[in-house]
């Protein structure tokens, strides 16, 4: 079953900008983040609003610029439902190394990015947006 959550930013400074989340499993932490970052957000169930591609929005570009590989790793790991230990076991490293990478204390090199992405079942590019 497809779930769709449409949110209209009602703040005057964003001129009615709108974005839509669609999918079968929208993470609650993502919805909570958007609602906390934009207190004037309202859920829209129906309507004929104009849709904008997420990757083309200023918010998307800002998030990409400000998101570190460490933050991306933690987001991907938690989104896919892995603990640090489970991911470490799949990659063949220690839990402490995963923790250090998520806290940006240990850099994520190209080879490690590929290993992490393979373990998570995604592209290594998702670690670097």
């Amino acid at each position: 079953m497809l779930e769709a959550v449409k949110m209209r930013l009602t703040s005057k400074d964003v001129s009615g900008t709108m974005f839509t989340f669609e999918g079968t499993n929208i993470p609650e932490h993502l919805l909570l983040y958007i609602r906390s970052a934009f207190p004037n957000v309202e859920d829209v169930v129906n309507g004929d609003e104009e849709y904008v591609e997420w990757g083309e929005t200023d918010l998307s570009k800002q998030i990409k610029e400000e998101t570190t590989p460490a933050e991306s790793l933690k987001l991907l790991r938690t989104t896919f439902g892995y603990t640090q230990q489970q991911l470490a076991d799949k990659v063949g490293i220690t839990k402490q190394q995963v923790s250090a990478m998520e806290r940006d204390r240990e850099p994520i090199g190209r080879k490690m990015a590929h290993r992490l992405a393979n373990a998570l079942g995604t592209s290594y590019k998702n670690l670097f947006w």
Side-chain angles (χ1 to χ4, degrees):
M1 181 171 141
L2 178 67
E3 299 173 15
V5 176
K6 298 179 184 177
M7 297 178 163
R8 179 182 300 130
L9 300 177
T10 58
S11 177
K12 294 188 188 294
D13 59 295
V14 291
S15 305
T17 302
M18 179 178 190
F19 54 94
T20 303
F21 293 100
E22 294 182 355
T24 57
N25 235 350
I26 301 169
E28 187 61 31
H29 67 274
L30 181 58
L31 295 174
L32 289 171
Y33 169 76
I34 295 296
R35 288 185 180 115
S36 68
F38 300 97
N40 294 326
V41 166
E42 63 182 53
D43 291 348
V44 177
V45 178
N46 292 316
D48 47 42
E49 295 83 7
E50 179 183 338
Y51 291 97
V52 177
E53 184 67 34
W54 165 251
E56 302 299 318
T57 65
D58 291 338
L59 177 60
S60 169
K61 292 173 185 171
Q62 178 185 354
I63 289 172
K64 286 179 184 180
E65 290 172 5
E66 295 176 2
T67 302
T68 66
E71 293 167 330
S72 295
L73 174 59
K74 184 172 184 177
L75 179 63
L76 287 169
R77 178 182 60 78
T78 57
T79 299
F80 287 115
Y82 290 107
T83 65
Q84 288 181 341
Q85 186 64 57
Q86 289 170 325
L87 180 59
D89 291 344
K90 287 183 82 106
V91 177
I93 58 176
T94 67
K95 175 185 169 188
Q96 290 77 13
Q97 287 175 289
V98 173
S99 176
M101 285 185 276
E102 287 184 356
R103 290 181 291 124
D104 213 9
R105 303 232 187 271
E106 184 174 316
I108 302 173
R110 190 185 74 214
K111 289 181 182 179
M112 181 56 68
H114 282 279
R115 289 172 60 191
L116 290 164
N118 287 338
L120 293 168
T122 189
S123 169
Y124 77 96
K125 294 177 183 178
N126 290 331
L127 291 168
F128 302 102
W129 287 52

